[in-house]
């Protein structure tokens, strides 16, 4: 049967005259979405004006795909007068496939000022048949419906610091109308605010009133300013802690303001327990319901640079974002900025958009970190990293790519990333940034901020551009870290500086760079190039020789780079999906979608490594050993080296005591030779190819010698934990003795949080899995003595 009403948008189709992808299953409707204004009725597509009733979403309505469900809801929403977007998705713990999806009103959440926390949504769940059915729905909106035009830019209210002074009896709160207007000329959305006197300590007047349980405020901002002023007088700083939202409408119900030294996210924090929590009452006011005044550190007024930083942060909070933030701000006034004419396009709207997003993320992710560089009260560069990225850095932060590929073209926004390599040889995000000025000061601030966010762990190596400002910042912030130049930048400058040379130069040049086996061989071929092609006065050629340890493969072999090829850099983490040309309105949605896609790829590899086994190609015990230990991706790398080892011959060239040296050459190739040194007493082995030092996997040359000497088990020192299946779960055990107490505590928190999230994700899949997950946690609680 067909729905023939004038406003119908969809139809179900009889099995007797089924159109493609439509069917009648008794009382079950299986829907195929069509463009607005068109509908299928009895296998015919007709115009909208031929219909006379509305077809609405209902529980039990089925679709052939999640895309069909989204199209259905989108057309329905357009007809009703609202817009939609894709919300959360849930995945099967069995195979990682998407099991359910939510499509929500575009005003859901609070990430942007235009959003109102609208609860309207539909959720579709995949059935065993492959079809998708609406299993949850909420139709009511908390905003007016109608044709939506272009979204207006967010309006930010200017606020003045407000404080509350407790008095006996009933508190009289004088109110005053504000005549001020925001930048676009429209009246301030909140025309009435509370005005109170602020009394300073010391010479400025009587001490500021101390907080106490029961103290009432007209707004959360008012409470924040009160606690900030109290903290300044008491000699400590504060930041915004957790927030809690109502399940019904998503509105904030309570907030915590904590001492800046709360937690252990970076070394300066000491786990201080001082805080003030406020709770929203039915009247709309906020009351202090929990309070802890004691600190675990000395308080005192801060002076010097940190004092300036605090003043700058306060000015920025008041002027730009209304005073309610958890920013970690640094004043860069003392840095000497150059390139005054080259201002990157990080405008006011960018900051407002991102800071609102950051606050929302902190409510969901207690490990979320962000920081803003401030120069004279002006907001400059921004850095952020979620809890997952910070935990990943504890596992895979030994080799880092600082990707500034936005600089390759005329960019709209200078978006840069910190990227590592996980145990599946996939790129993993370790932090993001917007860079306002490409100066030593800005890069120094950025690297120091990243280091704080990652608990002070210095990487062994970093791949970044050759620019002098970046080189100086890396030398200052990461002493001992080996800086490798980005190959894309070298290739560009090669073309500019050497394009006038004849074609045969390119062959000889590449042979010198990529085939030199010793420093003497490299120097000889380099000097030949200088003399043969008259390059003695070529400035770029001379500079690259001085910096040869930062880009020539021969000099990089002994440095750990997690196997990132020397002749190129790792692929961009976000690819072309998110780059310097991305419009502001699409930035956050593209960022989250791309990040989720990358992490989904990692989850799939985790699943494959735990549930699949690679085929053995030999009968060697070491192959079986490594199959048990390595992830699938890393085992394939090892297996290839093992198979290649059979193509080599090992000839003993030296022996003294337990030390034996071998010359290992490829069969039929007299040129390819490598020297392997082996110690029989402790099974130590090293090869001149330096593959293990560079990638963390034993090379074919060492494996050939192990085979000749009948070494049936690879020593544990050559099985790097970062490449193993349990790289994520066991990292804390391996690093316990490496980090300071604060850093180790942060690693413990992140590790336990990741483990707990997996229990939660698995437990929500079904009632049976919930019972199992709950029972496991309950039994674990008994062993930890926190549950009886």
């Amino acid at each position: 049967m067909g729905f023939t009403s004038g406003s119908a948008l969809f139809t179900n189709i009889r099995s007797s005259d089924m159109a493609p992808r439509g069917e009648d299953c008794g009382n079950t409707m299986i829907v195929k979405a069509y463009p607005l204004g068109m509908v299928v009725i009895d296998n015919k597509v007709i115009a909208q004006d031929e219909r006379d009733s509305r077809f609405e979403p209902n529980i039990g309505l089925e679709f052939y795909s999640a895309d069909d469900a989204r199209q259905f809801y989108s057309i329905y929403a357009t007809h009703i007068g609202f817009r939609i977007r894709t919300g959360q998705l849930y995945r099967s713990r069995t195979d990682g496939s998407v099991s359910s999806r939510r499509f929500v009103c575009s005003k859901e959440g609070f990430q942007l000022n235009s959003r109102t926390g609208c609860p309207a949504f539909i959720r579709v769940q995949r059935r065993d048949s492959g079809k998708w059915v609406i299993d949850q729905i909420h139709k009511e909106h908390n905003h007016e419906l109608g044709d939506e035009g272009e979204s207006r830019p967010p309006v930010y209210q200017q606020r003045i610091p407000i404080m509350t002074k407790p008095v006996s009896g009933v508190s009289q709160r004088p109110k005053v109308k504000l005549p001020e207007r925001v930048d676009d000329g429209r009246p301030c959305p909140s025309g009435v605010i509370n005005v109170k006197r602020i009394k300073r300590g010391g010479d400025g007047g009587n001490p500021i009133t101390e907080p106490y349980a029961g103290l009432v405020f007209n707004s959360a901002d008012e409470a924040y300013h009160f606690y900030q002023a109290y903290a300044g007088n008491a000699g400590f700083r504060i930041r915004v802690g957790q927030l809690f939202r109502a399940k019904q409408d998503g509105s904030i119900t309570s907030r915590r303001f904590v001492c800046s030294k709360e937690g252990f996210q970076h070394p300066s924090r000491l786990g201080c327990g001082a805080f003030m929590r406020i709770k929203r009452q039915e009247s709309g006011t906020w009351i202090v319901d929990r309070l802890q005044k004691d600190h675990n550190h000395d308080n005192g007024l801060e002076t010097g640079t940190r004092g300036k930083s605090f003043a700058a942060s306060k000015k920025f909070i008041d002027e730009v974002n209304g005073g309610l933030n958890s920013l970690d701000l640094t004043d860069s006034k003392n840095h000497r900025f150059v390139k005054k004419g080259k201002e990157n396009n990080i405008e006011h709207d960018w900051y407002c958009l991102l800071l609102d997003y950051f606050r929302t993320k902190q409510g969901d992710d207690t490990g979320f970190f962000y920081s803003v560089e401030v120069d004279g009260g002006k907001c400059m560069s921004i850095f952020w990293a979620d809890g997952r990225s910070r935990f990943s850095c504890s596992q895979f932060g030994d080799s880092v790519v600082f990707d500034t590929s936005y600089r390759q073209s005329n960019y709209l926004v200078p978006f840069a990333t910190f990227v590592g390599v996980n145990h599946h040889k996939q790129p993993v995000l370790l932090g993001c940034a917007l860079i306002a000025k490409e100066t030593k000061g800005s890069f120094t601030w950025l690297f120091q901020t990243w280091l704080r966010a990652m608990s002070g762990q210095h990487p062994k190596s970093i791949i970044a551009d050759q620019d002098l400002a970046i080189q100086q910042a890396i030398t200052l912030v990461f002493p001992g870290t080996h800086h490798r130049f980005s190959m894309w930048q070298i290739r560009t400058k090669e073309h500019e500086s050497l394009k006038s040379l004849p074609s045969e130069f390119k062959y000889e040049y590449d042979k010198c760079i990529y085939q030199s086996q010793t420093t003497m061989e490299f120097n000889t071929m380099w000097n030949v190039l200088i003399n043969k092609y008259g390059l003695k006065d070529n400035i770029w050629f001379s500079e690259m020789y001085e910096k040869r340890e930062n880009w020539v493969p021969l000099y990089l072999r002994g440095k750990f780079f997690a196997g990132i090829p020397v002749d190129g850099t790792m692929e961009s983490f976000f690819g072309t999906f998110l780059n310097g040309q991305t419009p502001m309105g699409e930035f956050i949605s593209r960022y989250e979608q791309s990040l989720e896609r990358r992490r989904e790829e990692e989850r799939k590899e985790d699943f494959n490594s735990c549930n699949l086994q690679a085929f053995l190609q030999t009968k060697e015990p070491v192959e079986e050993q490594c199959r048990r230990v390595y992830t699938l991706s890393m085992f394939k790398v090892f297996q290839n080296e093992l198979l290649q080892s059979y193509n080599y011959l090992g000839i003993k060239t030296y022996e003294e005591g337990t030390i034996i040296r071998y010359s290992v050459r490829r069969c039929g190739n007299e040129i390819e030779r490598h020297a392997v040194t082996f110690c029989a007493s402790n099974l130590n082995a090293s090869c001149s190819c330096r593959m293990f030092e560079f990638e963390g996997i034993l090379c074919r040359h060492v494996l050939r010698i192990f085979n000749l000497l009948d070494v049936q088990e690879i020593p544990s020192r050559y099985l790097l934990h970062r490449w193993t299946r349990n790289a994520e779960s066991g990292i804390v055990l391996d690093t316990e003795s490496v980090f300071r107490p604060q850093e180790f505590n942060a690693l413990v928190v992140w590790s336990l949080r990741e483990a707990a999230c997996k229990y939660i994700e698995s437990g929500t899949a079904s009632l049976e899995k919930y019972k199992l997950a709950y029972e496991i946690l309950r039994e674990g609680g008994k062993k930890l003595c926190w549950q009886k």
Side-chain angles (χ1 to χ4, degrees):
M1 64 180 232
F3 291 86
T4 59
S5 58
S7 59
L9 301 180
F10 305 90
T11 182
N12 69 318
I13 303 169
R14 297 179 302 199
S15 58
S16 59
D17 54 359
M18 185 184 300
R21 304 182 70 184
E23 65 183 8
D24 186 354
C25 303
N27 294 326
T28 301
M29 292 176 290
I30 303 175
V31 176
K32 164 70 181 177
Y34 288 87
L36 183 63
M38 306 298 292
V39 65
V40 174
I41 298 178
D42 291 335
N43 218 20
K44 296 180 181 179
V45 180
I46 64 173
Q48 183 177 358
D49 56 9
E50 298 178 31
R51 298 166 282 138
D52 57 14
S53 72
R54 181 177 306 154
F55 184 55
E56 295 188 351
N58 292 288
I59 291 179
L61 195 60
E62 288 190 348
F63 305 88
Y64 282 95
S65 69
D67 287 342
D68 281 352
R70 191 187 193 286
Q71 187 180 1
F72 166 84
Y73 196 47
S74 177
I75 299 176
Y76 163 74
T78 303
H79 184 80
I80 297 300
F82 66 98
R83 290 183 297 174
I84 72 164
R85 56 189 175 84
T86 302
Q88 288 177 300
L89 59 82
Y90 302 90
R91 298 187 179 274
S92 168
R93 297 297 295 179
T94 305
D95 58 7
S97 60
V98 177
S99 58
S100 66
R101 299 208 70 132
R102 280 169 53 98
F103 305 113
V104 302
C105 174
S106 62
K107 293 185 179 293
E108 183 266 353
F110 300 92
Q111 288 90 335
L112 302 175
N113 280 2
S114 61
R115 297 186 184 175
T116 62
C118 180
F121 77 96
I122 66 169
R123 192 181 84 165
V124 290
Q125 190 170 40
R126 190 187 64 202
R127 294 290 173 85
D128 292 339
S129 63
K131 297 183 177 68
W132 295 73
V133 62
I134 297 179
D135 68 333
Q136 291 184 16
I137 188 170
H138 190 97
K139 295 183 180 180
E140 287 76 19
H141 299 259
N142 64 359
H143 57 90
E144 294 182 0
L145 301 178
D147 293 334
E148 297 187 359
E150 293 182 0
S151 59
R152 296 179 178 177
V155 179
Y156 291 89
Q157 175 185 350
Q158 292 183 343
R159 298 181 176 90
I160 60 174
I162 303 168
M163 295 185 56
T164 300
K165 179 181 178 181
V167 295
S168 59
V170 179
S171 175
Q172 300 296 326
R173 302 179 181 273
K175 296 180 179 180
V176 59
K177 293 283 183 180
L178 283 182
E180 299 152 44
R181 294 174 175 265
V182 292
D183 293 341
D184 61 358
R186 288 175 290 175
C188 182
S190 178
V192 180
I193 66 169
N194 195 19
V195 179
K196 296 178 177 64
R197 296 178 181 177
I198 305 177
K199 293 186 178 181
R200 303 291 179 188
D203 298 335
N206 297 327
I208 293 176
T209 302
E210 291 193 0
Y212 60 90
L215 192 58
V216 177
F217 302 92
N218 281 350
S219 68
D221 278 358
E222 182 181 327
Y224 172 81
H225 282 107
F226 166 80
Y227 196 52
Q228 184 185 56
Y230 162 73
N233 189 64
F236 66 97
R237 293 188 296 169
I238 70 167
R239 55 188 175 84
V240 178
Q242 287 179 300
L243 59 82
F244 301 90
R245 297 183 182 274
K247 293 183 178 180
Q248 292 80 5
D249 58 7
S251 60
I252 298 175
T253 57
S254 66
R255 303 207 69 136
R256 279 168 54 98
F257 306 118
V258 301
C259 173
S260 63
K261 294 186 181 294
E262 181 266 353
F264 299 95
Q265 285 84 340
H266 56 75
S268 65
R269 298 187 183 173
L270 306 173
C272 181
F275 75 94
M276 182 181 81
R277 194 181 86 164
I278 55 173
K279 189 174 182 180
R280 191 185 66 198
Q281 302 183 101
E282 293 183 0
S283 63
T285 59
W286 296 73
I287 186 172
V288 177
D289 69 329
R290 292 187 184 178
L291 182 69
Q292 172 61 256
K293 293 184 180 180
D294 297 332
H295 299 259
N296 66 354
H297 56 90
D298 293 334
N299 291 335
L301 293 176
E302 299 173 89
T303 59
T305 304
R306 297 182 69 184
K308 293 179 183 178
S309 169
F310 183 71
S313 69
K314 187 178 186 303
K315 180 178 180 181
F316 172 74
I317 289 172
D318 290 341
E319 294 182 359
V320 177
N321 206 46
L324 190 57
N325 272 302
S326 56
L327 295 177
D328 181 4
L329 297 165
T330 304
D331 185 6
S332 57
K333 193 178 283 187
N334 294 325
H335 293 320
R336 182 187 175 190
F337 291 111
V338 295
K339 299 183 183 178
K340 288 291 185 180
K342 187 177 181 182
E343 292 286 345
N344 288 338
N345 191 18
I346 308 179
E347 297 177 348
H348 176 272
D349 289 344
W350 270 100
Y351 290 112
C352 295
L353 175 73
L354 289 173
L355 295 179
D356 191 39
Y357 170 70
F358 295 161
R359 289 200 304 272
T360 302
K361 291 296 292 182
Q362 281 192 322
D364 301 326
D365 180 1
T366 57
F368 192 90
F369 176 98
Y370 68 99
S371 181
V372 177
E373 180 189 22
V374 174
D375 179 21
K378 182 180 179 182
C379 191
M380 304 296 290
S381 301
I382 300 178
F383 170 83
W384 72 94
D386 63 11
R388 177 65 191 176
S389 291
R390 299 175 73 188
F391 180 63
S392 294
C393 191
S394 68
Q395 307 157 300
F396 312 117
D398 44 11
S399 186
V400 177
V401 178
F402 179 51
D403 185 0
T404 54
S405 52
Y406 70 86
R407 309 167 74 203
Q408 299 180 51
S409 60
N410 293 324
Y411 50 86
L412 294 175
V413 58
F415 177 60
T417 57
F418 293 85
V419 179
V421 179
N422 69 8
H423 51 327
H424 305 297
K425 297 211 96 175
Q426 298 170 315
V428 57
L429 189 65
L430 306 179
C432 298
L434 299 183
I435 305 171
K437 290 186 178 181
E438 296 174 355
T439 65
K440 175 186 175 183
S442 286
F443 286 122
T444 298
W445 173 87
L446 180 59
F447 295 152
Q448 289 174 338
T449 303
W450 180 82
L451 200 60
R452 289 204 318 273
M454 304 307 167
S455 297
Q457 295 183 70
H458 287 243
K460 295 178 181 177
S461 60
I462 184 169
I463 301 174
D465 290 349
Q466 186 183 348
D467 291 28
L468 181 60
I470 294 179
Q471 292 185 56
Q472 292 174 337
I474 289 176
T475 301
L476 179 64
V477 181
F478 302 125
T481 296
H482 195 87
H483 177 194
R484 178 175 129 194
F485 295 157
S486 299
M487 188 53 66
W488 72 264
Q489 191 184 44
I490 292 177
R491 289 298 191 195
T492 301
K493 294 185 177 181
E494 276 179 3
H495 179 72
E496 295 174 356
S497 304
L498 308 174
K499 59 184 177 182
S500 60
L501 296 172
S503 57
E504 59 266 22
F505 167 81
K506 182 71 167 73
Y507 170 78
E508 296 179 44
Y509 174 78
D510 285 347
K511 183 178 180 181
C512 173
I513 300 302
Y514 298 109
Q515 296 184 25
S516 299
Q517 297 298 317
T518 65
T519 56
M520 182 178 295
E521 186 178 348
F522 172 80
N523 289 329
T524 299
M525 286 194 284
W526 187 272
N527 288 326
V528 169
L529 291 174
I530 291 176
N531 296 325
K532 184 176 179 179
Y533 296 98
L535 296 172
K536 186 175 182 180
D537 297 327
N538 187 299
I539 297 176
W540 181 84
F541 206 69
S542 299
E543 288 179 350
M544 294 310 292
Y545 180 76
E546 294 296 327
K547 296 289 185 179
R548 58 191 180 279
E549 293 185 357
N550 299 96
W551 67 284
V552 177
L554 170 65
Y555 294 92
L556 297 173
R557 285 177 184 166
K559 312 297 180 183
F560 182 79
F561 283 97
I564 302 173
V566 176
D567 58 351
T569 53
M570 188 169 56
E571 61 176 311
S572 172
F573 183 84
F574 291 100
T576 58
F577 197 73
L578 187 69
N579 53 46
Q581 304 296 323
T582 302
M584 181 178 68
E586 301 176 16
F587 185 86
I588 290 177
S589 61
R590 287 195 184 188
Y591 166 81
E592 291 203 317
Q593 290 174 27
S594 185
L595 181 60
E596 174 58 28
R597 184 167 61 248
R598 284 290 192 185
R599 289 177 175 172
E600 173 61 15
E601 292 170 358
E602 182 176 359
R603 285 192 289 268
K604 287 181 179 178
E605 285 300 317
D606 284 338
F607 176 84
N608 291 338
S609 290
C610 291
N611 296 279
L612 302 178
Q613 269 196 337
F615 288 106
L616 297 177
Q617 301 289 338
T618 73
K619 296 182 179 180
E620 302 290 347
V622 295
E623 187 183 18
E624 172 60 32
Q625 176 193 9
C626 290
R627 184 174 70 168
R628 294 194 310 267
V629 174
Y630 285 136
T631 61
L632 279 179
S633 299
M634 294 312 301
F635 175 71
K636 290 177 182 178
V637 175
F638 170 83
Q639 190 178 57
N640 179 63
E641 292 299 312
L642 180 63
L643 293 175
Q644 290 294 330
S645 70
Y646 294 110
N647 297 322
Y648 287 78
L649 296 175
I651 303 172
K652 186 187 299 185
T653 59
Y654 172 84
E655 182 174 4
E656 183 177 346
T658 60
I659 304 298
I660 310 172
R661 186 170 298 133
Y662 293 87
S663 175
V664 181
R665 66 175 179 85
R666 187 176 181 88
C667 298
N669 187 339
E670 294 293 331
I671 299 177
E672 185 181 343
R673 291 174 178 268
H674 291 280
V676 174
T677 302
F678 177 78
C679 180
S681 61
N682 55 15
L683 300 184
N684 277 348
S686 63
C687 180
S688 59
C689 78
R690 310 286 279 176
M691 178 177 174
F692 179 77
E693 288 77 6
F694 182 82
E695 189 168 352
I697 290 285
L698 282 179
C699 63
R700 59 195 67 178
H701 317 112
V702 170
L703 292 175
R704 173 76 275 185
I705 301 306
F706 277 2
N707 181 264
L708 291 175
L709 299 176
D710 197 29
V711 176
Q712 299 192 10
E713 184 174 288
I714 294 178
S716 59
R717 73 180 74 92
Y718 297 119
L719 300 173
L720 294 192
H721 182 79
R722 72 169 337 277
W723 297 131
T724 62
R725 295 171 183 240
N726 64 338
E728 293 181 322
S729 59
I731 189 69
V732 172
L733 298 178
D734 288 354
T735 56
E736 183 173 358
S737 60
V738 177
F739 300 101
R740 296 190 297 270
Q742 294 92 338
E743 298 167 5
F744 178 68
N745 287 335
L747 291 179
V748 170
V749 170
W750 296 335
S751 179
L752 292 176
R753 183 189 293 121
E754 287 298 314
C757 286
K758 291 179 180 179
Y759 277 99
I760 294 172
E761 291 174 6
S762 179
T764 55
S766 66
L767 181 60
E768 290 73 19
K769 289 186 177 181
Y770 160 75
K771 292 178 179 179
L772 178 60
Y774 185 83
E775 183 63 23
I776 293 172
L777 292 173
R778 191 175 70 86
E779 291 300 317
K782 290 180 179 178
K783 294 181 180 180
L784 291 172
C785 300
W786 54 260
Q787 187 180 50
K788 297 182 179 180

